[in-house]
Amino acid sequence: MAREYIVLVAGPMGAGKTTAISALSEIPVVRTEALNTDPQRNAKATTTVALDYGEISLGDGDKVRLYGVPGQDRFDFMWRILEKRALGMMLLVDNDGPDPLSELERYLHSFEALGTRGALVIGITRRDVGRGPAMDAYYARLTQLGRVLPLFSVDARNAAQVRTMLGALIAMVEAKAGAALPTGAIA
Ligand SMILES: Nc1nc2c(ncn2[C@@H]2O[C@H](COP(=O)(O)OP(=O)(O)OP(=O)(O)O)[C@@H](O)[C@H]2O)c(=O)[nH]1
Ligand SMILES: [Mg+2]
């Protein structure tokens, strides 16, 4: 039977969530972009205010519903609604942002329930800009936090790179589902 996966795309303002969903989606992305009223935090002209929505089909009729959750804290309540329905999350962190390592930690903490129950992959974006921590620093922070999670260096504008990340996430979701089956269910 065809399955549907609900996947959240989360991360700080300007990390590339809307861009990644647009790169992946086969349908025109539903975007809720408005003028950025918080230019101190990030200089971008517009920001997502409610959510982004896109879809991608996998083989065998399976479908992924992608929900981008807003990067601004004042939309926190939206995350909670979507988190309950999700099987996995792509966490994008802007390597060029003010304090990417703390942002990584903050989001892992904020989505601890989904990270434990579901699958989670991390993508470090905007590395081509040439500022910010090296990948080793992210690995070190994850180790410090006792978390073993797939970590990708990814350009959110590059569909192939984002698809690779999504593939890893779906594989994790399936592995978790398989692990949840009663003994003997997998022939
Ligand atoms: N140079 C570079 N630019 C990137 C990369 N990933 C995303 N961008 C750009 O970063 C900008 C911000 O991306 P968005 O997709 O709007 O970020 P967002 O996470 O949706 O931001 P909010 O909705 O405000 O929370 C866009 O101009 C993207 O084209 C990357 O890896 N490298
Ligand atoms: Mg956005």
Side-chain angles (χ1 to χ4, degrees), residues 9-22 31-34 36 41-42 44 46-49 52 69-72 92 94 107 124-129 154-158 161:
V9 183
M13 210 175 147
K17 303 177 292 292
T18 301
T19 308
I21 292 172
S22 305
R31 296 165 59 130
T32 57
E33 209 78 1
N36 178 13
R41 184 142 167 231
N42 191 301
K44 70 209 288 275
T46 65
T47 186
T48 301
V49 285
D52 298 308
V69 291
Q72 288 182 299
L92 298 181
D94 177 4
Y107 273 82
I124 309 301
T125 62
R126 300 172 60 91
R127 294 196 62 246
D128 54 292
V129 178
V154 67
D155 187 325
R157 302 165 299 177
N158 184 314
Q161 290 183 17

mmCIF file of all heavy atoms in Angstrom, residues 9-22 31-34 36 41-42 44 46-49 52 69-72 92 94 107 124-129 154-158 161, ligand 1:
data_model
loop_
_atom_site.group_PDB
_atom_site.id
_atom_site.type_symbol
_atom_site.label_atom_id
_atom_site.label_comp_id
_atom_site.label_asym_id
_atom_site.label_seq_id
_atom_site.Cartn_x
_atom_site.Cartn_y
_atom_site.Cartn_z
ATOM 1 N N VAL A 9 10.709 20.521 7.846
ATOM 2 C CA VAL A 9 11.996 21.149 7.535
ATOM 3 C C VAL A 9 12.093 22.342 8.483
ATOM 4 O O VAL A 9 11.285 23.272 8.405
ATOM 5 C CB VAL A 9 12.065 21.604 6.060
ATOM 6 C CG1 VAL A 9 13.434 22.194 5.750
ATOM 7 C CG2 VAL A 9 11.772 20.426 5.125
ATOM 8 N N ALA A 10 13.033 22.255 9.410
ATOM 9 C CA ALA A 10 13.128 23.283 10.440
ATOM 10 C C ALA A 10 14.526 23.877 10.466
ATOM 11 O O ALA A 10 15.452 23.355 9.836
ATOM 12 C CB ALA A 10 12.787 22.688 11.808
ATOM 13 N N GLY A 11 14.669 24.970 11.208
ATOM 14 C CA GLY A 11 15.979 25.603 11.340
ATOM 15 C C GLY A 11 15.827 27.110 11.440
ATOM 16 O O GLY A 11 14.757 27.650 11.181
ATOM 17 N N PRO A 12 16.917 27.765 11.809
ATOM 18 C CA PRO A 12 16.857 29.206 12.032
ATOM 19 C C PRO A 12 16.522 30.004 10.773
ATOM 20 O O PRO A 12 16.606 29.488 9.656
ATOM 21 C CB PRO A 12 18.260 29.557 12.536
ATOM 22 C CG PRO A 12 19.084 28.344 12.423
ATOM 23 C CD PRO A 12 18.222 27.183 12.098
ATOM 24 N N MET A 13 16.186 31.249 11.005
ATOM 25 C CA MET A 13 15.819 32.160 9.923
ATOM 26 C C MET A 13 16.946 32.245 8.883
ATOM 27 O O MET A 13 18.110 32.428 9.245
ATOM 28 C CB MET A 13 15.611 33.536 10.553
ATOM 29 C CG MET A 13 14.627 34.388 9.857
ATOM 30 S SD MET A 13 14.432 35.881 10.830
ATOM 31 C CE MET A 13 14.136 37.022 9.521
ATOM 32 N N GLY A 14 16.588 32.038 7.627
ATOM 33 C CA GLY A 14 17.559 32.177 6.551
ATOM 34 C C GLY A 14 18.410 30.937 6.306
ATOM 35 O O GLY A 14 19.343 30.971 5.516
ATOM 36 N N ALA A 15 18.080 29.814 6.953
ATOM 37 C CA ALA A 15 18.894 28.601 6.793
ATOM 38 C C ALA A 15 18.681 27.936 5.441
ATOM 39 O O ALA A 15 19.484 27.100 5.024
ATOM 40 C CB ALA A 15 18.593 27.617 7.919
ATOM 41 N N GLY A 16 17.565 28.275 4.770
ATOM 42 C CA GLY A 16 17.318 27.698 3.447
ATOM 43 C C GLY A 16 16.165 26.714 3.408
ATOM 44 O O GLY A 16 16.075 25.899 2.488
ATOM 45 N N LYS A 17 15.248 26.812 4.357
ATOM 46 C CA LYS A 17 14.121 25.873 4.427
ATOM 47 C C LYS A 17 13.208 26.010 3.198
ATOM 48 O O LYS A 17 12.892 25.025 2.549
ATOM 49 C CB LYS A 17 13.314 26.116 5.721
ATOM 50 C CG LYS A 17 14.152 25.989 6.986
ATOM 51 C CD LYS A 17 13.358 26.314 8.230
ATOM 52 C CE LYS A 17 12.949 27.753 8.351
ATOM 53 N NZ LYS A 17 14.057 28.706 8.563
ATOM 54 N N THR A 18 12.795 27.252 2.923
ATOM 55 C CA THR A 18 11.911 27.485 1.768
ATOM 56 C C THR A 18 12.629 27.075 0.482
ATOM 57 O O THR A 18 12.040 26.440 -0.399
ATOM 58 C CB THR A 18 11.497 28.972 1.700
ATOM 59 O OG1 THR A 18 10.834 29.308 2.931
ATOM 60 C CG2 THR A 18 10.562 29.245 0.541
ATOM 61 N N THR A 19 13.901 27.396 0.392
ATOM 62 C CA THR A 19 14.703 27.062 -0.801
ATOM 63 C C THR A 19 14.779 25.546 -0.979
ATOM 64 O O THR A 19 14.603 25.037 -2.088
ATOM 65 C CB THR A 19 16.126 27.652 -0.660
ATOM 66 O OG1 THR A 19 16.010 29.044 -0.354
ATOM 67 C CG2 THR A 19 16.938 27.467 -1.915
ATOM 68 N N ALA A 20 15.026 24.819 0.105
ATOM 69 C CA ALA A 20 15.153 23.357 0.026
ATOM 70 C C ALA A 20 13.824 22.726 -0.398
ATOM 71 O O ALA A 20 13.805 21.820 -1.235
ATOM 72 C CB ALA A 20 15.598 22.794 1.382
ATOM 73 N N ILE A 21 12.725 23.200 0.156
ATOM 74 C CA ILE A 21 11.410 22.638 -0.195
ATOM 75 C C ILE A 21 11.108 22.931 -1.660
ATOM 76 O O ILE A 21 10.613 22.068 -2.389
ATOM 77 C CB ILE A 21 10.313 23.166 0.755
ATOM 78 C CG1 ILE A 21 10.539 22.592 2.149
ATOM 79 C CG2 ILE A 21 8.913 22.808 0.246
ATOM 80 C CD1 ILE A 21 9.659 23.161 3.228
ATOM 81 N N SER A 22 11.456 24.127 -2.119
ATOM 82 C CA SER A 22 11.233 24.484 -3.531
ATOM 83 C C SER A 22 12.092 23.605 -4.443
ATOM 84 O O SER A 22 11.659 23.220 -5.534
ATOM 85 C CB SER A 22 11.561 25.953 -3.778
ATOM 86 O OG SER A 22 10.827 26.761 -2.892
ATOM 87 N N ARG A 31 3.695 28.881 -0.356
ATOM 88 C CA ARG A 31 4.625 29.691 0.441
ATOM 89 C C ARG A 31 3.850 30.781 1.165
ATOM 90 O O ARG A 31 2.894 31.320 0.634
ATOM 91 C CB ARG A 31 5.663 30.365 -0.461
ATOM 92 C CG ARG A 31 6.572 29.394 -1.175
ATOM 93 C CD ARG A 31 7.296 30.079 -2.303
ATOM 94 N NE ARG A 31 8.104 31.197 -1.809
ATOM 95 C CZ ARG A 31 9.384 31.386 -2.111
ATOM 96 N NH1 ARG A 31 10.016 30.551 -2.891
ATOM 97 N NH2 ARG A 31 10.046 32.413 -1.643
ATOM 98 N N THR A 32 4.263 31.074 2.384
ATOM 99 C CA THR A 32 3.653 32.192 3.100
ATOM 100 C C THR A 32 4.766 33.164 3.455
ATOM 101 O O THR A 32 5.204 33.235 4.595
ATOM 102 C CB THR A 32 2.920 31.713 4.376
ATOM 103 O OG1 THR A 32 3.859 31.019 5.177
ATOM 104 C CG2 THR A 32 1.750 30.815 4.052
ATOM 105 N N GLU A 33 5.209 33.873 2.442
ATOM 106 C CA GLU A 33 6.354 34.768 2.588
ATOM 107 C C GLU A 33 5.839 36.182 2.844
ATOM 108 O O GLU A 33 4.917 36.634 2.174
ATOM 109 C CB GLU A 33 7.156 34.729 1.277
ATOM 110 C CG GLU A 33 8.620 34.985 1.414
ATOM 111 C CD GLU A 33 9.414 33.793 1.939
ATOM 112 O OE1 GLU A 33 8.831 32.720 2.184
ATOM 113 O OE2 GLU A 33 10.619 33.954 2.107
ATOM 114 N N ALA A 34 6.404 36.871 3.821
ATOM 115 C CA ALA A 34 6.001 38.261 4.085
ATOM 116 C C ALA A 34 7.252 39.090 4.319
ATOM 117 O O ALA A 34 8.345 38.540 4.526
ATOM 118 C CB ALA A 34 5.089 38.313 5.301
ATOM 119 N N ASN A 36 10.193 40.945 5.945
ATOM 120 C CA ASN A 36 10.922 40.632 7.174
ATOM 121 C C ASN A 36 10.884 41.827 8.130
ATOM 122 O O ASN A 36 11.407 42.888 7.830
ATOM 123 C CB ASN A 36 12.367 40.284 6.804
ATOM 124 C CG ASN A 36 13.221 39.987 8.003
ATOM 125 O OD1 ASN A 36 12.707 39.801 9.104
ATOM 126 N ND2 ASN A 36 14.515 39.928 7.796
ATOM 127 N N ARG A 41 18.123 40.446 12.922
ATOM 128 C CA ARG A 41 18.435 39.029 13.075
ATOM 129 C C ARG A 41 18.969 38.439 11.774
ATOM 130 O O ARG A 41 19.896 37.644 11.767
ATOM 131 C CB ARG A 41 17.156 38.322 13.509
ATOM 132 C CG ARG A 41 17.373 36.904 13.785
ATOM 133 C CD ARG A 41 16.552 36.449 14.972
ATOM 134 N NE ARG A 41 16.576 35.016 14.971
ATOM 135 C CZ ARG A 41 15.506 34.259 15.039
ATOM 136 N NH1 ARG A 41 14.319 34.791 15.155
ATOM 137 N NH2 ARG A 41 15.633 32.973 15.019
ATOM 138 N N ASN A 42 18.329 38.817 10.667
ATOM 139 C CA ASN A 42 18.769 38.326 9.364
ATOM 140 C C ASN A 42 18.382 39.378 8.334
ATOM 141 O O ASN A 42 17.261 39.855 8.351
ATOM 142 C CB ASN A 42 18.093 36.984 9.065
ATOM 143 C CG ASN A 42 18.699 36.295 7.859
ATOM 144 O OD1 ASN A 42 18.696 36.846 6.759
ATOM 145 N ND2 ASN A 42 19.240 35.105 8.059
ATOM 146 N N LYS A 44 17.666 39.279 5.287
ATOM 147 C CA LYS A 44 16.860 38.926 4.114
ATOM 148 C C LYS A 44 15.584 39.771 4.031
ATOM 149 O O LYS A 44 15.037 40.173 5.060
ATOM 150 C CB LYS A 44 16.579 37.417 4.086
ATOM 151 C CG LYS A 44 15.641 36.910 5.146
ATOM 152 C CD LYS A 44 15.962 35.474 5.483
ATOM 153 C CE LYS A 44 15.565 34.513 4.372
ATOM 154 N NZ LYS A 44 14.149 34.098 4.466
ATOM 155 N N THR A 46 12.487 38.996 2.845
ATOM 156 C CA THR A 46 11.223 38.357 3.246
ATOM 157 C C THR A 46 11.517 37.131 4.105
ATOM 158 O O THR A 46 12.639 36.617 4.113
ATOM 159 C CB THR A 46 10.391 37.906 2.017
ATOM 160 O OG1 THR A 46 11.107 36.880 1.329
ATOM 161 C CG2 THR A 46 10.102 39.066 1.083
ATOM 162 N N THR A 47 10.482 36.695 4.807
ATOM 163 C CA THR A 47 10.624 35.512 5.669
ATOM 164 C C THR A 47 9.313 34.729 5.669
ATOM 165 O O THR A 47 8.252 35.292 5.412
ATOM 166 C CB THR A 47 11.020 35.946 7.111
ATOM 167 O OG1 THR A 47 11.285 34.792 7.896
ATOM 168 C CG2 THR A 47 9.926 36.765 7.786
ATOM 169 N N THR A 48 9.398 33.420 5.953
ATOM 170 C CA THR A 48 8.197 32.593 6.015
ATOM 171 C C THR A 48 7.433 32.927 7.293
ATOM 172 O O THR A 48 8.023 32.922 8.375
ATOM 173 C CB THR A 48 8.589 31.103 6.009
ATOM 174 O OG1 THR A 48 9.324 30.837 4.826
ATOM 175 C CG2 THR A 48 7.368 30.207 6.058
ATOM 176 N N VAL A 49 6.132 33.204 7.173
ATOM 177 C CA VAL A 49 5.390 33.575 8.382
ATOM 178 C C VAL A 49 4.485 32.465 8.922
ATOM 179 O O VAL A 49 4.179 32.438 10.105
ATOM 180 C CB VAL A 49 4.547 34.858 8.187
ATOM 181 C CG1 VAL A 49 5.446 36.072 8.185
ATOM 182 C CG2 VAL A 49 3.696 34.798 6.949
ATOM 183 N N ASP A 52 5.612 26.559 4.816
ATOM 184 C CA ASP A 52 5.759 26.225 3.396
ATOM 185 C C ASP A 52 5.241 24.801 3.250
ATOM 186 O O ASP A 52 5.327 24.012 4.194
ATOM 187 C CB ASP A 52 7.243 26.204 2.977
ATOM 188 C CG ASP A 52 7.911 27.545 3.140
ATOM 189 O OD1 ASP A 52 7.383 28.537 2.627
ATOM 190 O OD2 ASP A 52 8.981 27.582 3.768
ATOM 191 N N VAL A 69 8.732 24.788 8.663
ATOM 192 C CA VAL A 69 8.240 25.535 9.833
ATOM 193 C C VAL A 69 8.991 26.860 9.934
ATOM 194 O O VAL A 69 10.178 26.924 9.649
ATOM 195 C CB VAL A 69 8.360 24.709 11.139
ATOM 196 C CG1 VAL A 69 7.396 23.558 11.139
ATOM 197 C CG2 VAL A 69 9.751 24.201 11.353
ATOM 198 N N PRO A 70 8.282 27.920 10.301
ATOM 199 C CA PRO A 70 8.902 29.250 10.303
ATOM 200 C C PRO A 70 10.124 29.334 11.201
ATOM 201 O O PRO A 70 10.194 28.693 12.251
ATOM 202 C CB PRO A 70 7.797 30.164 10.829
ATOM 203 C CG PRO A 70 6.550 29.399 10.689
ATOM 204 C CD PRO A 70 6.907 27.963 10.787
ATOM 205 N N GLY A 71 11.085 30.147 10.791
ATOM 206 C CA GLY A 71 12.327 30.271 11.541
ATOM 207 C C GLY A 71 12.250 31.236 12.709
ATOM 208 O O GLY A 71 13.126 31.252 13.566
ATOM 209 N N GLN A 72 11.208 32.041 12.748
ATOM 210 C CA GLN A 72 11.113 33.020 13.837
ATOM 211 C C GLN A 72 10.417 32.394 15.049
ATOM 212 O O GLN A 72 9.419 31.700 14.915
ATOM 213 C CB GLN A 72 10.327 34.251 13.371
ATOM 214 C CG GLN A 72 11.090 35.121 12.392
ATOM 215 C CD GLN A 72 10.283 36.347 12.006
ATOM 216 O OE1 GLN A 72 9.200 36.251 11.453
ATOM 217 N NE2 GLN A 72 10.822 37.509 12.314
ATOM 218 N N LEU A 92 17.936 22.241 9.169
ATOM 219 C CA LEU A 92 18.927 23.010 8.414
ATOM 220 C C LEU A 92 19.512 24.092 9.316
ATOM 221 O O LEU A 92 18.786 24.787 10.019
ATOM 222 C CB LEU A 92 18.272 23.664 7.181
ATOM 223 C CG LEU A 92 17.674 22.707 6.148
ATOM 224 C CD1 LEU A 92 17.084 23.480 4.974
ATOM 225 C CD2 LEU A 92 18.714 21.705 5.644
ATOM 226 N N ASP A 94 22.225 27.380 9.280
ATOM 227 C CA ASP A 94 22.991 28.315 8.447
ATOM 228 C C ASP A 94 24.402 28.465 9.017
ATOM 229 O O ASP A 94 24.584 29.032 10.097
ATOM 230 C CB ASP A 94 22.240 29.660 8.442
ATOM 231 C CG ASP A 94 22.973 30.746 7.677
ATOM 232 O OD1 ASP A 94 24.033 30.462 7.082
ATOM 233 O OD2 ASP A 94 22.475 31.885 7.678
ATOM 234 N N TYR A 107 17.828 23.841 18.501
ATOM 235 C CA TYR A 107 16.800 23.131 17.726
ATOM 236 C C TYR A 107 16.708 21.656 18.120
ATOM 237 O O TYR A 107 15.627 21.087 18.150
ATOM 238 C CB TYR A 107 17.055 23.292 16.219
ATOM 239 C CG TYR A 107 16.405 24.541 15.685
ATOM 240 C CD1 TYR A 107 17.023 25.779 15.817
ATOM 241 C CD2 TYR A 107 15.143 24.506 15.096
ATOM 242 C CE1 TYR A 107 16.424 26.938 15.366
ATOM 243 C CE2 TYR A 107 14.533 25.655 14.641
ATOM 244 C CZ TYR A 107 15.174 26.869 14.777
ATOM 245 O OH TYR A 107 14.565 28.009 14.330
ATOM 246 N N ILE A 124 23.991 21.282 7.089
ATOM 247 C CA ILE A 124 24.641 22.572 7.339
ATOM 248 C C ILE A 124 24.687 23.314 6.001
ATOM 249 O O ILE A 124 25.320 22.838 5.046
ATOM 250 C CB ILE A 124 26.071 22.395 7.921
ATOM 251 C CG1 ILE A 124 26.055 21.434 9.124
ATOM 252 C CG2 ILE A 124 26.675 23.745 8.285
ATOM 253 C CD1 ILE A 124 25.177 21.842 10.284
ATOM 254 N N THR A 125 24.010 24.439 5.922
ATOM 255 C CA THR A 125 23.876 25.175 4.661
ATOM 256 C C THR A 125 24.813 26.381 4.596
ATOM 257 O O THR A 125 25.407 26.771 5.602
ATOM 258 C CB THR A 125 22.435 25.685 4.482
ATOM 259 O OG1 THR A 125 22.127 26.582 5.547
ATOM 260 C CG2 THR A 125 21.425 24.557 4.451
ATOM 261 N N ARG A 126 24.894 26.957 3.426
ATOM 262 C CA ARG A 126 25.637 28.201 3.163
ATOM 263 C C ARG A 126 27.117 28.086 3.547
ATOM 264 O O ARG A 126 27.742 29.051 3.949
ATOM 265 C CB ARG A 126 24.954 29.367 3.884
ATOM 266 C CG ARG A 126 23.517 29.569 3.406
ATOM 267 C CD ARG A 126 22.759 30.587 4.233
ATOM 268 N NE ARG A 126 23.401 31.871 4.186
ATOM 269 C CZ ARG A 126 23.144 32.839 3.305
ATOM 270 N NH1 ARG A 126 22.222 32.647 2.374
ATOM 271 N NH2 ARG A 126 23.775 33.973 3.349
ATOM 272 N N ARG A 127 27.665 26.897 3.377
ATOM 273 C CA ARG A 127 29.081 26.696 3.689
ATOM 274 C C ARG A 127 29.963 27.329 2.619
ATOM 275 O O ARG A 127 31.107 27.668 2.879
ATOM 276 C CB ARG A 127 29.390 25.200 3.853
ATOM 277 C CG ARG A 127 28.676 24.613 5.064
ATOM 278 C CD ARG A 127 29.239 23.284 5.495
ATOM 279 N NE ARG A 127 30.625 23.383 5.900
ATOM 280 C CZ ARG A 127 31.651 22.823 5.262
ATOM 281 N NH1 ARG A 127 31.431 22.104 4.190
ATOM 282 N NH2 ARG A 127 32.870 22.972 5.698
ATOM 283 N N ASP A 128 29.395 27.480 1.417
ATOM 284 C CA ASP A 128 30.169 28.090 0.325
ATOM 285 C C ASP A 128 30.485 29.567 0.597
ATOM 286 O O ASP A 128 31.390 30.130 -0.017
ATOM 287 C CB ASP A 128 29.379 27.975 -0.997
ATOM 288 C CG ASP A 128 27.977 28.548 -0.863
ATOM 289 O OD1 ASP A 128 27.168 27.948 -0.134
ATOM 290 O OD2 ASP A 128 27.701 29.603 -1.457
ATOM 291 N N VAL A 129 29.741 30.186 1.522
ATOM 292 C CA VAL A 129 29.984 31.599 1.853
ATOM 293 C C VAL A 129 31.381 31.750 2.466
ATOM 294 O O VAL A 129 32.016 32.801 2.356
ATOM 295 C CB VAL A 129 28.876 32.146 2.792
ATOM 296 C CG1 VAL A 129 29.124 33.592 3.177
ATOM 297 C CG2 VAL A 129 27.509 32.005 2.129
ATOM 298 N N VAL A 154 25.332 20.858 2.928
ATOM 299 C CA VAL A 154 24.361 20.903 1.842
ATOM 300 C C VAL A 154 24.105 22.341 1.381
ATOM 301 O O VAL A 154 24.100 23.265 2.195
ATOM 302 C CB VAL A 154 23.049 20.187 2.295
ATOM 303 C CG1 VAL A 154 22.351 20.952 3.394
ATOM 304 C CG2 VAL A 154 22.096 19.983 1.153
ATOM 305 N N ASP A 155 23.936 22.488 0.072
ATOM 306 C CA ASP A 155 23.497 23.768 -0.480
ATOM 307 C C ASP A 155 22.000 23.612 -0.749
ATOM 308 O O ASP A 155 21.597 22.797 -1.580
ATOM 309 C CB ASP A 155 24.264 24.073 -1.773
ATOM 310 C CG ASP A 155 23.965 25.465 -2.302
ATOM 311 O OD1 ASP A 155 22.813 25.934 -2.154
ATOM 312 O OD2 ASP A 155 24.883 26.093 -2.867
ATOM 313 N N ALA A 156 21.185 24.397 -0.043
ATOM 314 C CA ALA A 156 19.725 24.235 -0.140
ATOM 315 C C ALA A 156 19.211 24.510 -1.549
ATOM 316 O O ALA A 156 18.105 24.111 -1.900
ATOM 317 C CB ALA A 156 19.034 25.153 0.861
ATOM 318 N N ARG A 157 20.019 25.179 -2.372
ATOM 319 C CA ARG A 157 19.599 25.475 -3.746
ATOM 320 C C ARG A 157 19.853 24.304 -4.681
ATOM 321 O O ARG A 157 19.396 24.305 -5.821
ATOM 322 C CB ARG A 157 20.359 26.711 -4.254
ATOM 323 C CG ARG A 157 20.138 27.944 -3.393
ATOM 324 C CD ARG A 157 21.158 29.017 -3.692
ATOM 325 N NE ARG A 157 22.524 28.544 -3.420
ATOM 326 C CZ ARG A 157 23.625 29.252 -3.640
ATOM 327 N NH1 ARG A 157 23.533 30.470 -4.120
ATOM 328 N NH2 ARG A 157 24.804 28.740 -3.359
ATOM 329 N N ASN A 158 20.609 23.314 -4.203
ATOM 330 C CA ASN A 158 21.015 22.191 -5.040
ATOM 331 C C ASN A 158 20.081 20.992 -4.808
ATOM 332 O O ASN A 158 20.150 20.310 -3.784
ATOM 333 C CB ASN A 158 22.465 21.833 -4.683
ATOM 334 C CG ASN A 158 23.014 20.745 -5.566
ATOM 335 O OD1 ASN A 158 22.362 19.737 -5.811
ATOM 336 N ND2 ASN A 158 24.216 20.945 -6.058
ATOM 337 N N GLN A 161 21.572 17.532 -3.882
ATOM 338 C CA GLN A 161 22.091 17.445 -2.507
ATOM 339 C C GLN A 161 20.954 17.331 -1.487
ATOM 340 O O GLN A 161 21.032 16.556 -0.542
ATOM 341 C CB GLN A 161 22.941 18.680 -2.194
ATOM 342 C CG GLN A 161 24.250 18.706 -2.953
ATOM 343 C CD GLN A 161 25.122 19.893 -2.571
ATOM 344 O OE1 GLN A 161 24.935 20.529 -1.550
ATOM 345 N NE2 GLN A 161 26.080 20.200 -3.416
HETATM 346 N N1 LIG B 1 25.184 30.836 -0.863
HETATM 347 C C1 LIG B 1 24.218 30.035 -0.448
HETATM 348 N N2 LIG B 1 22.973 30.503 -0.346
HETATM 349 C C2 LIG B 1 22.010 29.668 0.096
HETATM 350 C C3 LIG B 1 22.265 28.325 0.468
HETATM 351 N N3 LIG B 1 21.131 27.760 0.899
HETATM 352 C C4 LIG B 1 20.179 28.719 0.808
HETATM 353 N N4 LIG B 1 20.702 29.875 0.324
HETATM 354 C C5 LIG B 1 20.052 31.179 0.129
HETATM 355 O O1 LIG B 1 19.759 31.692 1.430
HETATM 356 C C6 LIG B 1 18.625 32.536 1.368
HETATM 357 C C7 LIG B 1 17.645 32.197 2.484
HETATM 358 O O2 LIG B 1 16.946 31.053 2.154
HETATM 359 P P1 LIG B 1 15.403 30.786 2.566
HETATM 360 O O3 LIG B 1 15.036 29.516 1.878
HETATM 361 O O4 LIG B 1 14.558 31.974 2.352
HETATM 362 O O5 LIG B 1 15.553 30.551 4.137
HETATM 363 P P2 LIG B 1 14.428 30.108 5.176
HETATM 364 O O6 LIG B 1 15.066 29.081 6.053
HETATM 365 O O7 LIG B 1 13.188 29.710 4.465
HETATM 366 O O8 LIG B 1 14.215 31.442 6.022
HETATM 367 P P3 LIG B 1 12.935 31.919 6.905
HETATM 368 O O9 LIG B 1 11.692 31.554 6.176
HETATM 369 O O10 LIG B 1 13.111 33.404 6.988
HETATM 370 O O11 LIG B 1 13.068 31.282 8.233
HETATM 371 C C8 LIG B 1 18.061 32.408 -0.039
HETATM 372 O O12 LIG B 1 18.480 33.541 -0.769
HETATM 373 C C9 LIG B 1 18.720 31.133 -0.579
HETATM 374 O O13 LIG B 1 18.892 31.159 -1.977
HETATM 375 C C10 LIG B 1 23.614 27.840 0.345
HETATM 376 O O14 LIG B 1 23.967 26.694 0.655
HETATM 377 N N5 LIG B 1 24.545 28.750 -0.115
#
